[in-house]
Amino acid sequence: GSRNLHYDQLLEDQRFAAPEKVHRILSDAGLLDAPRVVAYCGGPSCSAYQAGAKAAEEAGFKNIKHLSIGISGWLQAGKATDKADSKS
């Protein structure tokens, strides 16, 4: 299954933290062995997911996908979602 890490957990002074810190946060969350990162926003008019994808790349991830339609597009397409557990 997938796991969610909200972008604000990777911010420092309203910018993405340095790659080393992002790497540490992802490690602490148990996400370093994730087979892929999917970056997305709330909808297609938002492009902030691109900054999240860039931060993941700088932290060493190679398999990064962009869901440019955002979560609203995902839901409109009838795709399933799961509620996050308390660790996310």
Side-chain angles (χ1 to χ4, degrees):
S2 64
R3 296 199 313 185
N4 184 45
L5 183 70
H6 198 266
Y7 79 95
D8 65 355
Q9 294 175 267
L10 304 174
L11 296 179
E12 192 169 73
D13 297 324
Q14 298 183 353
R15 295 191 177 274
F16 279 99
E20 303 80 30
K21 185 169 184 177
V22 170
H23 189 273
R24 187 177 73 248
I25 293 167
L26 296 173
S27 177
D28 291 349
L31 297 174
L32 289 183
D33 61 347
R36 84 183 57 80
V37 170
V38 179
Y40 63 92
C41 285
S45 63
C46 177
S47 62
Y49 72 91
Q50 294 170 345
K54 182 179 179 193
E57 182 179 34
E58 290 174 350
F61 284 89
K62 304 291 182 220
N63 190 7
I64 302 168
K65 305 296 180 193
H66 296 178
L67 181 62
S68 59
I69 61 172
I71 192 64
S72 64
W74 180 265
L75 295 171
Q76 286 176 350
K79 301 297 184 181
T81 60
D82 290 327
K83 290 189 182 240
D85 63 26
S86 60
K87 297 186 292 185
S88 297

Coordinates of all heavy atoms in Angstrom, one line a residue:
G1 N 0.8 -1.2 0.0 CA 0.0 0.0 0.0 C 0.9 1.2 0.0 O 2.1 1.2 0.2
S2 N 0.2 2.3 -0.2 CA 0.9 3.6 -0.2 C 0.9 4.3 1.2 O 0.1 3.9 2.0 CB 0.3 4.6 -1.2 OG -1.0 4.9 -0.8
R3 N 1.8 5.2 1.3 CA 1.9 6.0 2.6 C 2.0 7.4 2.2 O 2.6 7.8 1.2 CB 3.1 5.5 3.4 CG 2.8 4.1 3.9 CD 3.7 3.7 5.0 NE 5.0 4.1 4.9 CZ 6.0 3.7 5.7 NH1 5.7 3.0 6.7 NH2 7.2 4.1 5.6
N4 N 1.5 8.3 3.0 CA 1.4 9.7 2.7 C 2.3 10.5 3.7 O 2.3 10.2 4.9 CB -0.1 10.2 2.9 CG -0.2 11.6 2.5 OD1 0.3 12.0 1.5 ND2 -1.0 12.3 3.3
L5 N 3.0 11.4 3.2 CA 3.8 12.4 4.0 C 3.4 13.7 3.5 O 3.7 14.1 2.3 CB 5.3 12.1 3.8 CG 6.2 12.9 4.6 CD1 6.1 12.6 6.1 CD2 7.6 12.8 4.2
H6 N 2.7 14.5 4.3 CA 2.3 15.9 3.9 C 3.5 16.7 3.7 O 4.5 16.7 4.4 CB 1.4 16.5 4.9 CG 0.6 17.6 4.4 ND1 1.0 18.9 4.5 CD2 -0.6 17.6 3.7 CE1 0.1 19.7 4.0 NE2 -0.9 18.9 3.5
Y7 N 3.5 17.6 2.6 CA 4.6 18.4 2.3 C 5.1 19.3 3.4 O 6.3 19.5 3.5 CB 4.3 19.2 1.0 CG 3.5 20.4 1.3 CD1 4.1 21.7 1.5 CD2 2.1 20.4 1.4 CE1 3.4 22.8 1.8 CE2 1.4 21.5 1.7 CZ 2.0 22.7 1.9 OH 1.2 23.8 2.2
D8 N 4.2 19.7 4.3 CA 4.6 20.7 5.3 C 5.6 20.0 6.3 O 6.3 20.7 7.0 CB 3.5 21.4 6.0 CG 2.6 20.4 6.8 OD1 2.8 19.2 6.8 OD2 1.6 20.9 7.4
Q9 N 5.6 18.7 6.3 CA 6.6 18.0 7.2 C 8.0 18.2 6.6 O 9.0 17.9 7.3 CB 6.2 16.6 7.3 CG 4.9 16.4 8.1 CD 4.5 14.9 8.1 OE1 3.8 14.5 7.2 NE2 5.0 14.2 9.1
L10 N 8.2 18.6 5.4 CA 9.5 18.8 4.7 C 9.9 20.2 4.6 O 10.9 20.5 4.0 CB 9.4 18.1 3.3 CG 9.0 16.7 3.3 CD1 8.9 16.2 1.8 CD2 10.0 15.8 4.0
L11 N 9.1 21.1 5.2 CA 9.4 22.5 5.1 C 10.2 23.1 6.2 O 10.2 22.6 7.4 CB 8.1 23.3 5.0 CG 7.2 23.1 3.8 CD1 6.0 24.0 3.9 CD2 8.0 23.3 2.5
E12 N 11.0 24.1 5.9 CA 11.8 24.8 6.9 C 11.7 26.3 6.4 O 12.2 26.6 5.3 CB 13.2 24.3 6.9 CG 14.0 24.8 8.1 CD 15.3 24.0 8.2 OE1 16.2 24.2 7.3 OE2 15.4 23.2 9.1
D13 N 11.2 27.2 7.2 CA 11.0 28.6 6.9 C 10.2 28.7 5.6 O 10.6 29.5 4.7 CB 12.4 29.3 6.8 CG 13.1 29.3 8.1 OD1 12.4 29.4 9.2 OD2 14.3 29.2 8.1
Q14 N 9.2 28.0 5.4 CA 8.3 28.0 4.2 C 8.9 27.6 2.9 O 8.4 27.9 1.9 CB 7.6 29.4 4.1 CG 6.8 29.7 5.3 CD 6.1 31.0 5.2 OE1 6.3 31.8 4.2 NE2 5.2 31.3 6.1
R15 N 10.1 26.9 3.0 CA 10.7 26.3 1.8 C 11.1 24.9 2.1 O 11.2 24.5 3.3 CB 12.0 27.1 1.5 CG 11.8 28.5 1.1 CD 13.1 29.1 0.5 NE 12.9 30.4 0.1 CZ 12.5 30.8 -1.2 NH1 12.3 29.8 -2.0 NH2 12.4 32.0 -1.5
F16 N 11.3 24.1 1.1 CA 11.7 22.7 1.4 C 13.0 22.8 2.0 O 13.9 23.5 1.7 CB 11.7 21.9 0.1 CG 10.4 21.4 -0.3 CD1 9.6 22.1 -1.3 CD2 9.8 20.3 0.3 CE1 8.4 21.6 -1.6 CE2 8.5 19.9 0.0 CZ 7.8 20.5 -1.0
A17 N 13.2 21.9 3.0 CA 14.4 21.8 3.8 C 15.6 21.4 2.9 O 15.3 20.9 1.7 CB 14.3 20.9 4.9
A18 N 16.8 21.5 3.3 CA 18.0 21.0 2.6 C 17.8 19.5 2.3 O 17.2 18.8 3.1 CB 19.2 21.3 3.4
P19 N 18.4 19.0 1.2 CA 18.3 17.6 0.9 C 18.6 16.7 2.0 O 18.0 15.6 2.2 CB 19.2 17.5 -0.3 CG 19.2 18.8 -1.0 CD 19.1 19.8 0.2
E20 N 19.7 17.0 2.8 CA 20.1 16.1 3.9 C 19.0 16.0 4.9 O 18.7 14.9 5.5 CB 21.4 16.7 4.5 CG 22.5 16.8 3.6 CD 22.5 18.1 2.8 OE1 21.9 19.2 3.3 OE2 23.0 18.1 1.6
K21 N 18.3 17.1 5.2 CA 17.2 17.1 6.2 C 16.0 16.4 5.6 O 15.4 15.6 6.4 CB 16.8 18.5 6.6 CG 15.8 18.5 7.7 CD 15.6 19.8 8.4 CE 14.6 19.7 9.5 NZ 14.5 21.0 10.2
V22 N 15.7 16.6 4.4 CA 14.6 15.8 3.8 C 14.9 14.3 3.8 O 14.0 13.5 4.2 CB 14.3 16.3 2.3 CG1 13.4 15.4 1.6 CG2 13.8 17.7 2.3
H23 N 16.1 14.0 3.5 CA 16.5 12.6 3.6 C 16.3 12.0 5.0 O 15.8 10.9 5.1 CB 18.0 12.4 3.1 CG 18.4 11.0 2.9 ND1 18.9 10.3 4.0 CD2 18.4 10.2 1.9 CE1 19.2 9.1 3.5 NE2 19.0 9.0 2.2
R24 N 16.7 12.8 6.0 CA 16.5 12.3 7.4 C 15.1 12.2 7.8 O 14.7 11.2 8.4 CB 17.3 13.3 8.3 CG 17.3 12.7 9.8 CD 18.0 13.6 10.7 NE 17.3 14.8 11.0 CZ 17.6 16.1 10.6 NH1 18.7 16.3 10.0 NH2 16.9 17.1 10.9
I25 N 14.2 13.1 7.3 CA 12.8 13.0 7.6 C 12.2 11.8 7.0 O 11.4 11.1 7.6 CB 12.1 14.3 7.2 CG1 12.6 15.5 8.0 CG2 10.6 14.2 7.2 CD1 12.2 16.9 7.4
L26 N 12.6 11.6 5.7 CA 12.0 10.4 5.0 C 12.5 9.1 5.7 O 11.8 8.1 5.8 CB 12.4 10.5 3.5 CG 11.8 11.6 2.8 CD1 12.4 11.7 1.4 CD2 10.3 11.6 2.8
S27 N 13.8 9.1 6.1 CA 14.3 7.9 6.8 C 13.6 7.7 8.1 O 13.2 6.6 8.4 CB 15.8 8.2 7.1 OG 16.3 7.1 7.8
D28 N 13.3 8.7 8.9 CA 12.6 8.6 10.1 C 11.2 8.1 9.9 O 10.6 7.4 10.8 CB 12.6 10.0 10.9 CG 13.9 10.4 11.4 OD1 14.9 9.6 11.4 OD2 14.0 11.6 11.8
A29 N 10.6 8.4 8.8 CA 9.2 8.0 8.5 C 9.2 6.6 7.8 O 8.2 6.1 7.5 CB 8.6 9.0 7.5
G30 N 10.4 6.0 7.7 CA 10.5 4.7 7.1 C 10.2 4.7 5.6 O 9.7 3.6 5.0
L31 N 10.5 5.7 4.9 CA 10.1 5.9 3.5 C 11.3 5.7 2.5 O 11.1 5.8 1.3 CB 9.4 7.2 3.2 CG 8.1 7.3 4.0 CD1 7.5 8.7 3.8 CD2 7.1 6.3 3.5
L32 N 12.5 5.5 3.0 CA 13.6 5.5 2.1 C 13.6 4.3 1.2 O 14.2 4.3 0.1 CB 15.0 5.5 2.9 CG 15.3 6.8 3.5 CD1 16.6 6.8 4.2 CD2 15.3 8.0 2.5
D33 N 12.9 3.2 1.6 CA 12.9 2.1 0.7 C 11.7 2.0 -0.2 O 11.4 1.0 -0.8 CB 13.0 0.8 1.5 CG 11.8 0.6 2.5 OD1 11.1 1.6 2.7 OD2 11.6 -0.4 3.1
A34 N 10.9 3.2 -0.3 CA 9.7 3.2 -1.1 C 10.1 3.0 -2.6 O 11.1 3.6 -3.0 CB 9.1 4.6 -0.9
P35 N 9.4 2.2 -3.3 CA 9.7 1.9 -4.7 C 9.5 3.1 -5.6 O 10.1 3.2 -6.6 CB 8.8 0.8 -5.1 CG 7.7 0.8 -4.1 CD 8.2 1.4 -2.8
R36 N 8.6 4.0 -5.2 CA 8.4 5.2 -6.0 C 7.8 6.3 -5.1 O 7.2 6.0 -4.1 CB 7.5 5.0 -7.2 CG 6.0 5.0 -6.9 CD 5.2 4.7 -8.2 NE 5.5 3.4 -8.7 CZ 5.0 2.2 -8.3 NH1 4.3 2.2 -7.2 NH2 5.4 1.1 -8.9
V37 N 7.9 7.5 -5.6 CA 7.3 8.7 -4.9 C 6.3 9.3 -5.9 O 6.6 9.5 -7.1 CB 8.4 9.8 -4.6 CG1 7.7 11.1 -4.1 CG2 9.3 9.3 -3.5
V38 N 5.1 9.5 -5.4 CA 4.1 10.2 -6.3 C 3.8 11.5 -5.6 O 3.4 11.6 -4.5 CB 2.8 9.3 -6.4 CG1 1.8 10.1 -7.2 CG2 3.1 8.0 -6.9
A39 N 4.1 12.6 -6.4 CA 3.9 13.9 -5.9 C 2.6 14.5 -6.5 O 2.4 14.3 -7.7 CB 5.1 14.8 -6.3
Y40 N 1.8 15.1 -5.6 CA 0.5 15.6 -6.1 C 0.0 16.8 -5.3 O 0.5 16.9 -4.2 CB -0.6 14.5 -6.2 CG -0.9 13.9 -4.9 CD1 -2.0 14.4 -4.1 CD2 -0.2 12.8 -4.4 CE1 -2.3 13.9 -2.9 CE2 -0.6 12.3 -3.2 CZ -1.6 12.8 -2.5 OH -1.9 12.2 -1.3
C41 N -0.9 17.5 -5.8 CA -1.6 18.6 -5.1 C -3.1 18.3 -5.0 O -3.5 17.2 -5.3 CB -1.4 19.9 -5.9 SG 0.2 20.7 -5.8
G42 N -3.8 19.3 -4.6 CA -5.3 19.2 -4.5 C -6.0 19.1 -5.8 O -7.0 18.5 -5.9
G43 N -5.4 19.7 -6.8 CA -6.1 19.8 -8.1 C -5.1 20.2 -9.2 O -4.0 20.5 -9.0
P44 N -5.6 20.1 -10.5 CA -4.8 20.4 -11.6 C -4.3 21.8 -11.8 O -3.3 22.0 -12.4 CB -5.7 20.0 -12.8 CG -7.1 20.1 -12.3 CD -7.0 19.8 -10.9
S45 N -4.9 22.8 -11.1 CA -4.4 24.1 -11.2 C -3.2 24.4 -10.3 O -2.6 25.5 -10.4 CB -5.5 25.1 -11.0 OG -6.0 25.0 -9.6
C46 N -2.9 23.5 -9.5 CA -1.8 23.7 -8.5 C -0.5 23.0 -9.1 O -0.6 21.9 -9.6 CB -2.1 23.1 -7.2 SG -0.8 23.2 -6.0
S47 N 0.6 23.7 -9.0 CA 1.8 23.1 -9.5 C 2.9 22.9 -8.4 O 4.0 22.6 -8.6 CB 2.4 23.9 -10.6 OG 2.7 25.2 -10.1
A48 N 2.4 23.1 -7.1 CA 3.4 22.9 -6.0 C 3.9 21.5 -5.9 O 5.0 21.3 -5.4 CB 2.7 23.3 -4.7
Y49 N 3.2 20.5 -6.5 CA 3.7 19.2 -6.4 C 5.1 19.1 -7.1 O 5.9 18.2 -6.7 CB 2.8 18.2 -7.1 CG 2.7 18.3 -8.6 CD1 3.5 17.6 -9.4 CD2 1.8 19.2 -9.2 CE1 3.4 17.7 -10.8 CE2 1.7 19.3 -10.6 CZ 2.5 18.6 -11.4 OH 2.5 18.7 -12.7
Q50 N 5.4 19.9 -8.0 CA 6.7 19.9 -8.7 C 7.8 20.2 -7.7 O 8.9 19.6 -7.8 CB 6.7 20.9 -9.9 CG 5.7 20.5 -10.9 CD 5.5 21.6 -12.0 OE1 5.9 22.8 -11.8 NE2 4.9 21.3 -13.1
A51 N 7.6 21.1 -6.8 CA 8.6 21.4 -5.8 C 8.8 20.2 -4.9 O 10.0 19.8 -4.5 CB 8.2 22.6 -5.0
G52 N 7.8 19.5 -4.5 CA 7.9 18.2 -3.7 C 8.6 17.2 -4.5 O 9.5 16.5 -3.9
A53 N 8.4 17.0 -5.8 CA 9.1 16.0 -6.6 C 10.5 16.4 -6.6 O 11.4 15.5 -6.6 CB 8.5 15.9 -7.9
K54 N 10.8 17.6 -6.8 CA 12.2 18.1 -6.8 C 13.0 17.8 -5.5 O 14.1 17.3 -5.5 CB 12.3 19.6 -7.2 CG 13.8 20.1 -7.3 CD 13.8 21.5 -7.7 CE 15.3 21.9 -7.7 NZ 15.4 23.4 -7.8
A55 N 12.3 18.1 -4.4 CA 12.9 17.8 -3.1 C 13.1 16.3 -2.9 O 14.2 15.9 -2.4 CB 12.0 18.3 -2.0
A56 N 12.2 15.5 -3.4 CA 12.4 14.0 -3.3 C 13.6 13.6 -4.2 O 14.4 12.8 -3.8 CB 11.2 13.3 -3.8
E57 N 13.7 14.2 -5.4 CA 14.9 13.9 -6.2 C 16.2 14.3 -5.6 O 17.2 13.5 -5.6 CB 14.7 14.6 -7.6 CG 15.8 14.3 -8.5 CD 15.6 15.0 -9.9 OE1 15.1 16.1 -9.9 OE2 16.0 14.4 -10.9
E58 N 16.2 15.4 -5.0 CA 17.4 15.9 -4.3 C 17.8 15.1 -3.1 O 18.9 15.0 -2.7 CB 17.3 17.4 -3.9 CG 17.3 18.3 -5.1 CD 17.0 19.8 -4.8 OE1 16.6 20.0 -3.6 OE2 17.1 20.6 -5.7
A59 N 16.8 14.4 -2.5 CA 17.0 13.5 -1.4 C 17.5 12.1 -1.8 O 17.7 11.3 -1.0 CB 15.7 13.4 -0.5
G60 N 17.5 11.9 -3.1 CA 18.1 10.7 -3.7 C 17.1 9.7 -4.3 O 17.5 8.6 -4.8
F61 N 15.8 10.1 -4.3 CA 14.8 9.2 -5.0 C 15.0 9.3 -6.5 O 15.2 10.3 -7.0 CB 13.4 9.6 -4.6 CG 13.0 9.1 -3.2 CD1 13.3 10.0 -2.1 CD2 12.5 7.9 -3.0 CE1 13.0 9.6 -0.8 CE2 12.2 7.5 -1.7 CZ 12.4 8.3 -0.6
K62 N 14.8 8.1 -7.2 CA 15.0 8.1 -8.6 C 13.6 7.9 -9.3 O 13.4 8.4 -10.4 CB 15.9 6.9 -9.0 CG 17.3 7.0 -8.3 CD 18.1 8.2 -8.9 CE 19.4 8.2 -8.3 NZ 19.9 9.6 -7.9
N63 N 12.7 7.1 -8.7 CA 11.4 6.8 -9.4 C 10.4 7.7 -8.9 O 9.6 7.4 -7.9 CB 11.1 5.3 -9.1 CG 9.9 4.8 -10.0 OD1 9.4 5.5 -10.8 ND2 9.5 3.6 -9.7
I64 N 10.2 8.9 -9.5 CA 9.3 9.9 -9.0 C 8.3 10.1 -10.1 O 8.6 10.4 -11.3 CB 10.0 11.2 -8.7 CG1 11.1 11.0 -7.7 CG2 9.1 12.3 -8.3 CD1 12.1 12.1 -7.5
K65 N 7.0 10.1 -9.7 CA 5.9 10.3 -10.6 C 5.1 11.5 -10.2 O 5.1 11.8 -9.1 CB 5.0 9.1 -10.6 CG 5.6 7.7 -10.9 CD 6.2 7.7 -12.3 CE 6.9 6.4 -12.6 NZ 7.7 6.4 -13.7
H66 N 4.6 12.2 -11.2 CA 3.7 13.3 -11.0 C 2.3 13.0 -11.3 O 2.0 12.5 -12.3 CB 4.1 14.5 -11.9 CG 5.5 15.0 -11.6 ND1 6.1 16.0 -12.4 CD2 6.5 14.6 -10.8 CE1 7.3 16.2 -12.0 NE2 7.5 15.4 -11.0
L67 N 1.4 13.2 -10.3 CA 0.0 13.1 -10.5 C -0.6 14.5 -10.8 O -1.1 15.2 -9.8 CB -0.7 12.4 -9.3 CG -2.2 12.2 -9.4 CD1 -2.5 11.3 -10.6 CD2 -2.8 11.7 -8.1
S68 N -0.4 15.0 -12.0 CA -0.7 16.4 -12.3 C -2.2 16.7 -12.2 O -2.5 17.9 -12.0 CB -0.2 16.7 -13.7 OG -0.8 15.9 -14.7
I69 N -3.1 15.7 -12.2 CA -4.5 16.0 -12.0 C -4.9 16.2 -10.6 O -6.0 16.6 -10.2 CB -5.4 14.9 -12.6 CG1 -5.1 13.6 -11.9 CG2 -5.3 14.8 -14.1 CD1 -6.1 12.5 -12.3
G70 N -4.0 15.9 -9.7 CA -4.2 16.1 -8.2 C -5.1 15.1 -7.7 O -5.7 14.3 -8.4
I71 N -5.3 15.2 -6.4 CA -6.2 14.3 -5.7 C -7.7 14.5 -6.2 O -8.4 13.5 -6.3 CB -6.1 14.4 -4.2 CG1 -6.8 13.2 -3.5 CG2 -6.6 15.7 -3.6 CD1 -6.2 11.9 -3.8
S72 N -8.1 15.7 -6.5 CA -9.4 15.9 -7.0 C -9.7 15.2 -8.3 O -10.7 14.6 -8.5 CB -9.7 17.4 -7.1 OG -8.9 18.0 -8.1
G73 N -8.7 15.2 -9.2 CA -8.8 14.5 -10.5 C -8.8 13.0 -10.3 O -9.6 12.3 -10.9
W74 N -8.1 12.6 -9.3 CA -8.0 11.1 -8.9 C -9.4 10.7 -8.5 O -10.0 9.7 -8.9 CB -7.0 10.9 -7.8 CG -6.9 9.5 -7.4 CD1 -7.5 8.9 -6.3 CD2 -6.0 8.5 -7.9 NE1 -7.1 7.6 -6.2 CE2 -6.2 7.3 -7.1 CE3 -5.1 8.4 -9.0 CZ2 -5.5 6.2 -7.4 CZ3 -4.5 7.3 -9.3 CH2 -4.6 6.1 -8.5
L75 N -10.0 11.5 -7.6 CA -11.4 11.1 -7.1 C -12.4 11.2 -8.2 O -13.3 10.4 -8.3 CB -11.7 12.0 -5.9 CG -10.8 11.8 -4.7 CD1 -11.1 12.9 -3.6 CD2 -11.0 10.5 -4.1
Q76 N -12.3 12.3 -9.0 CA -13.3 12.4 -10.1 C -13.2 11.2 -11.1 O -14.2 10.9 -11.7 CB -13.1 13.7 -10.9 CG -13.5 14.9 -10.1 CD -13.2 16.2 -10.8 OE1 -12.5 16.3 -11.8 NE2 -13.8 17.3 -10.3
A77 N -12.0 10.6 -11.2 CA -11.9 9.5 -12.1 C -12.4 8.2 -11.4 O -12.3 7.1 -12.0 CB -10.4 9.3 -12.5
G78 N -12.9 8.3 -10.2 CA -13.4 7.1 -9.5 C -12.4 6.2 -8.9 O -12.7 5.1 -8.6
K79 N -11.2 6.7 -8.7 CA -10.1 5.9 -8.1 C -10.3 5.9 -6.6 O -10.8 6.8 -6.0 CB -8.7 6.5 -8.4 CG -8.5 6.6 -9.9 CD -8.5 5.2 -10.6 CE -8.1 5.3 -12.0 NZ -8.1 4.0 -12.7
A80 N -9.8 4.8 -6.0 CA -10.0 4.5 -4.6 C -8.9 5.3 -3.8 O -7.8 5.5 -4.3 CB -9.9 3.0 -4.3
T81 N -9.2 5.6 -2.6 CA -8.3 6.1 -1.6 C -8.5 5.4 -0.3 O -9.5 4.8 0.0 CB -8.5 7.6 -1.4 OG1 -9.8 7.8 -0.8 CG2 -8.3 8.4 -2.6
D82 N -7.4 5.4 0.5 CA -7.5 4.9 1.9 C -7.2 6.0 2.9 O -6.5 7.0 2.6 CB -6.4 3.8 2.1 CG -6.7 2.5 1.3 OD1 -7.9 2.2 1.2 OD2 -5.8 1.9 0.9
K83 N -7.8 5.9 4.1 CA -7.4 6.9 5.1 C -6.0 6.6 5.6 O -5.6 5.5 5.7 CB -8.4 6.8 6.2 CG -9.8 7.3 5.9 CD -10.7 7.4 7.1 CE -12.0 7.8 6.6 NZ -12.4 9.0 7.2
A84 N -5.3 7.7 5.9 CA -4.0 7.6 6.4 C -4.0 7.0 7.9 O -5.0 7.3 8.6 CB -3.3 8.9 6.5
D85 N -3.0 6.2 8.2 CA -3.0 5.7 9.6 C -2.3 6.8 10.4 O -1.9 7.8 9.9 CB -2.3 4.4 9.7 CG -0.8 4.4 9.3 OD1 -0.2 5.5 9.3 OD2 -0.3 3.4 8.9
S86 N -2.3 6.6 11.7 CA -1.8 7.6 12.6 C -0.3 7.9 12.5 O 0.2 8.9 12.9 CB -2.1 7.2 14.1 OG -1.4 6.0 14.4
K87 N 0.4 7.1 11.8 CA 1.9 7.3 11.6 C 2.2 8.2 10.4 O 3.3 8.7 10.3 CB 2.6 6.0 11.3 CG 2.5 5.0 12.5 CD 3.4 3.8 12.2 CE 2.8 3.0 11.1 NZ 3.5 1.7 10.9
S88 N 1.2 8.5 9.6 CA 1.4 9.3 8.4 C 1.3 10.8 8.6 O 0.7 11.2 9.5 CB 0.4 8.9 7.3 OG 0.6 7.6 6.9

